[in-house]
Amino acid sequence: MTRRAEFKLGLFVVLQFMFLLSLCSSEEFLPQISPDTSPQPFLPFIAPSPMAPYINTTIPKLSGLCSLNFTASESLIQTTSHNCWTVFAPLLANVMCCPQLDAALTIILGKASKETGQLALNRTQSKHCLSDLEQILVGKGASSKLGSICSLHSSNLTASSCPVTDVDQFESAVDTSKLLLACEKVDPVKECCEQACQNAILDAATNITLNASEPLMDNSVRISDCKNIVHRWLATKLDPSQAKETLRGLANCKLNRVCPLVFPHMRHISANCSNELSNQTSCCRAMESYVSHLQKQSLITNLQALDCATSLGTKLQKLNITKNVFTACHISLKDFSLQESGCLLPSLPSDAIFDQDTGISFTCDLNDNIPAPWPSSSQSSASTCKKSALLLSYLAS
């Protein structure tokens, strides 16, 4: 069987994550990590007894002061709680949890505008509504720290600096037919290359900023705030599942453009990998130690792994490490994501799934034994579109 055939038949597999609820921090749940060319499945928790209740949901204490109808978005909220599940929320934050939470808020606010005619809440209501939503999510098993994990504030529910919140005013200022045509059916792959919907959203946001009576020093902030208003209006015109698909697709275009990992200092690598790789053993030991630190940070997508490989390689080259240490030390794309499973998440939007018997599971791209590419000048500036093609070429080789 060729590698391409293996890719078509076995790209996505479900990696089951089963765990017991605890008050411990997420760091305590992580395994001791060491890079391994043949990683074993990552099962950090022992499954609970079939006789014991797996999920301990709680009844949320709501303020009674929020006008949003959370009950009407039960399915959306349930998906969000799974994607932001307790200790896994920090690990899935960048790819799954926070994009889903943002999409859920956008859709719920869009729905509400059908009754109120407003695409934003005032400051008082936003505080009550955000608190209520967090209580509901925690009651369904989500992390209690979503505010800090996803940088979520009550201002996210307001208009912030955008001057337009009224639906009628929005529709008179924007070419809504053009906007809907571009965003009604978004192909998550083509959109990241062609950016048809993203450009239409930018045009709409720019148009409604013209209604502002007071200029800002940095108009890009206002345009960004108005993009949120455009997203909410779009959510009123699409059914919830279609709106979710569109918003998550747009978010993935953005997140796949950059590496989300934080790179600490590289003095140890520099000391052991210079001089034309005179001591490969000590160099590879230093590389493995460094990469094992990166692995603890997050689960990332296959395209993000390409970004991370490029970022790390470029930093090493700036330290005058000219030899391809990725090849010499057998560094693969999977080495940039949480071990020991070597799990790279798909570059397309995906959700975690809860099963009463097996717990939380999500789809991993485990056809990822792909050598990390040593960066060239053409790679470092590659678009998401080109990186997708690059990844496929590695799989085919």
Side-chain angles (χ1 to χ4, degrees):
M1 182 181 290
T2 65
R3 189 165 187 177
R4 179 174 290 277
E6 289 176 31
F7 166 71
K8 289 182 177 178
L9 294 175
L11 175 59
F12 299 123
V13 300
V14 175
L15 179 65
Q16 298 290 343
F17 284 102
M18 299 176 287
F19 60 91
L20 297 170
L21 295 177
S22 169
L23 296 177
C24 297
S25 69
S26 61
E27 187 68 23
E28 292 172 331
F29 283 84
L30 294 178
Q32 292 298 314
I33 293 170
S34 59
D36 188 344
T37 54
S38 302
Q40 298 301 308
F42 172 37
L43 297 172
F45 307 102
I46 299 171
S49 165
M51 299 301 293
Y54 183 79
I55 179 172
N56 181 24
T57 56
T58 58
I59 299 173
K61 295 179 181 178
L62 304 183
S63 66
L65 299 172
C66 175
S67 61
L68 297 178
N69 185 357
F70 294 118
T71 305
S73 300
E74 174 66 24
S75 176
L76 194 64
I77 290 173
Q78 192 72 67
T79 300
T80 307
S81 70
H82 295 162
N83 286 6
C84 298
W85 195 266
T86 55
V87 295
F88 280 116
L91 305 177
L92 295 170
N94 177 263
V95 178
M96 204 175 286
C97 172
C98 300
Q100 173 61 26
L101 178 58
D102 184 62
L105 270 173
T106 299
I107 294 167
I108 291 169
L109 288 167
K111 276 187 175 183
S113 72
K114 293 182 178 180
E115 301 291 331
T116 65
Q118 296 294 315
L119 292 162
L121 301 180
N122 62 40
R123 291 182 181 180
T124 303
Q125 271 229 325
S126 66
K127 291 178 183 177
H128 295 306
C129 290
L130 180 58
S131 176
D132 285 357
L133 179 59
E134 288 177 320
Q135 291 289 323
I136 292 169
L137 288 170
V138 169
K140 292 180 179 294
S143 171
S144 61
K145 300 178 181 179
L146 292 183
S148 59
I149 291 171
C150 296
S151 301
L152 184 63
H153 308 285
S154 58
S155 59
N156 292 91
L157 284 69
T158 68
S160 296
S161 66
C162 188
V164 174
T165 61
D166 182 80
V167 172
D168 291 336
Q169 188 181 4
F170 177 93
E171 292 179 348
S172 65
V174 171
D175 187 343
T176 54
S177 58
K178 175 185 174 183
L179 179 60
L180 268 179
L181 183 65
C183 298
E184 196 168 19
K185 293 181 180 179
V186 172
D187 183 305
V189 176
K190 288 183 179 179
E191 176 60 30
C192 295
C193 297
E194 300 170 2
Q195 301 184 21
C197 178
Q198 294 168 79
N199 289 334
I201 290 171
L202 176 60
D203 288 345
T206 303
N207 284 340
I208 59 178
T209 60
L210 300 177
N211 286 269
S213 56
E214 297 179 5
L216 286 181
M217 291 291 291
D218 185 1
N219 198 48
S220 64
V221 173
R222 178 164 279 156
I223 290 175
S224 178
D225 291 337
C226 286
K227 281 184 181 180
N228 293 332
I229 297 297
V230 178
H231 290 161
R232 294 171 197 173
W233 181 86
L234 276 172
T236 69
K237 301 301 178 182
L238 307 175
D239 66 67
S241 61
Q242 191 178 5
K244 171 183 172 293
E245 185 178 328
T246 296
L247 293 169
R248 290 288 303 278
L250 294 175
N252 267 49
C253 288
K254 183 177 180 180
L255 67 88
N256 279 322
R257 290 173 190 156
V258 294
C259 172
L261 303 181
V262 176
F263 294 94
H265 70 80
M266 302 175 185
R267 290 192 294 268
H268 193 50
I269 298 178
S270 179
N272 287 278
C273 296
S274 55
N275 299 323
E276 295 293 311
L277 210 58
S278 58
N279 189 333
Q280 184 168 324
T281 301
S282 62
C283 173
C284 290
R285 197 174 291 132
M287 282 296 300
E288 288 173 1
S289 175
Y290 188 87
V291 170
S292 72
H293 175 87
L294 297 180
Q295 290 165 355
K296 295 180 182 180
Q297 294 183 36
S298 180
L299 283 157
I300 64 176
T301 71
N302 45 31
L303 289 182
Q304 284 179 322
L306 272 176
D307 292 317
C308 293
T310 299
S311 296
L312 178 57
T314 301
K315 291 176 184 295
L316 293 175
Q317 289 173 347
K318 289 179 180 178
L319 294 174
N320 294 320
I321 297 173
T322 56
K323 292 291 184 180
N324 183 347
V325 294
F326 290 169
T327 297
C329 300
H330 307 290
I331 303 297
S332 300
L333 290 183
K334 64 179 172 54
D335 293 324
F336 290 90
S337 193
L338 186 69
Q339 299 291 302
E340 293 174 1
S341 66
C343 175
L344 290 175
L345 297 173
S347 57
L348 298 180
S350 60
D351 295 311
I353 300 169
F354 175 77
D355 183 272
Q356 192 68 41
D357 296 322
T358 59
I360 290 290
S361 65
F362 47 85
T363 303
C364 285
D365 173 2
L366 291 187
N367 190 33
D368 57 7
N369 236 349
I370 306 165
W374 189 246
S376 64
S377 57
S378 60
Q379 264 179 263
S380 60
S381 60
S383 66
T384 302
C385 182
K386 291 178 181 177
K387 282 184 289 188
S388 298
L390 183 65
L391 184 62
L392 288 174
S393 71
Y394 289 140
L395 288 167
S397 62

